[in-house]
């Protein structure tokens, strides 16, 4: 009987936390944080495709760190320079199976990405999984970390 009692107490303790997180995921304008992150990520992709430095500067946090699918580590200044110089160029980027989980002023976005592009003349891995970390600072969401892993097809 004690395990059942323990489980009941645990459920009662955890249930309000989930409700609070769901309620805090809504902004004052009625749109969800998830929607805001998805919109920002779409803007990020467009800024990368078209090498728009002002948009990249707005979206990436000053202390951003990213790990690309081939293991390349980039800071915000490196990301902006690589896109604007043409060293890093994408013809297309699509995402799917995207999930956004919100933890207060932090959001974790995961999913799959298909990319067609070149990094300093080398073809970037096409099929990847990603994890992005967004933080709300001074009233706006910014990307603070990004990590890609290549998908390996098993035979």
């Amino acid at each position: 009987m004690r395990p059942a009692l323990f489980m009941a107490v645990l459920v009662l303790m955890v249930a309000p936390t989930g409700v609070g997180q769901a309620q805090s995921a809504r902004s004052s304008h009625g749109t969800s944080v998830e929607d805001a992150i998805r919109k920002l990520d779409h803007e990020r992709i467009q800024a990368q495709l078209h090498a728009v430095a002002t948009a990249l500067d707005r979206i990436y946090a000053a202390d951003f760190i990213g790990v690309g699918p081939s293991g390349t580590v980039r800071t915000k200044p490196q990301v902006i320079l690589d896109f604007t110089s043409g060293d890093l160029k994408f013809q297309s980027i699509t995402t799917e199976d995207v999930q956004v989980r919100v933890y207060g002023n932090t959001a974790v976005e995961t999913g799959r990405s298909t990319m067609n592009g070149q990094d300093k003349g080398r073809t970037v891995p096409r099929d990847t999984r990603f994890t992005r970390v967004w933080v709300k600072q001074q009233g706006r969401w910014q990307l603070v970390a990004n990590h890609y892993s290549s998908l390996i097809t098993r035979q």
Side-chain angles (χ1 to χ4, degrees):
M1 190 70 175
R2 284 190 176 167
L5 180 61
F6 174 75
M7 289 304 293
V9 170
L10 184 62
V11 167
L12 289 173
M13 289 175 60
V14 173
T17 304
V19 171
Q21 284 179 344
Q23 290 173 342
S24 69
R26 295 271 169 204
S27 73
S28 60
H29 300 293
T31 61
S32 73
V33 171
E34 179 180 346
D35 291 341
I37 296 301
R38 287 175 185 266
K39 181 177 182 278
L40 269 173
D41 201 45
H42 175 74
E43 290 174 21
R44 179 191 61 81
I45 289 169
Q46 293 305 308
Q48 289 177 341
L49 291 172
H50 304 291
V52 182
T54 54
L56 294 170
D57 184 55
R58 175 179 48 84
I59 294 167
Y60 286 82
D63 59 348
F64 169 82
I65 192 79
V67 180
S70 56
T72 304
V73 178
R74 287 182 169 93
T75 62
K76 176 182 179 171
Q78 290 168 324
V79 167
I80 293 171
L81 179 61
D82 285 349
F83 277 110
T84 57
S85 72
D87 282 348
L88 185 57
K89 179 150 184 65
F90 290 100
Q91 289 73 45
S92 66
I93 303 171
T94 58
T95 59
E96 56 188 68
D97 300 332
V98 175
Q99 294 183 356
V100 178
R101 295 182 319 278
V102 180
Y103 305 95
N105 285 337
T106 303
V108 178
E109 177 190 18
T110 57
R112 291 188 311 150
S113 185
T114 302
M115 302 180 286
N116 292 305
Q118 302 77 38
D119 187 354
K120 296 183 174 97
R122 291 184 164 161
T123 300
V124 298
R126 183 178 183 277
D127 298 309
T128 62
R129 289 202 180 274
F130 64 83
T131 302
R132 293 190 250 283
V133 180
W134 300 82
V135 174
K136 189 171 188 178
Q137 301 177 81
Q138 299 173 355
R140 64 188 177 115
W141 289 96
Q142 287 190 301
L143 185 60
V144 296
N146 196 9
H147 186 272
Y148 288 92
S149 296
S150 294
L151 284 175
I152 299 171
T153 306
R154 298 183 193 260
Q155 296 181 359

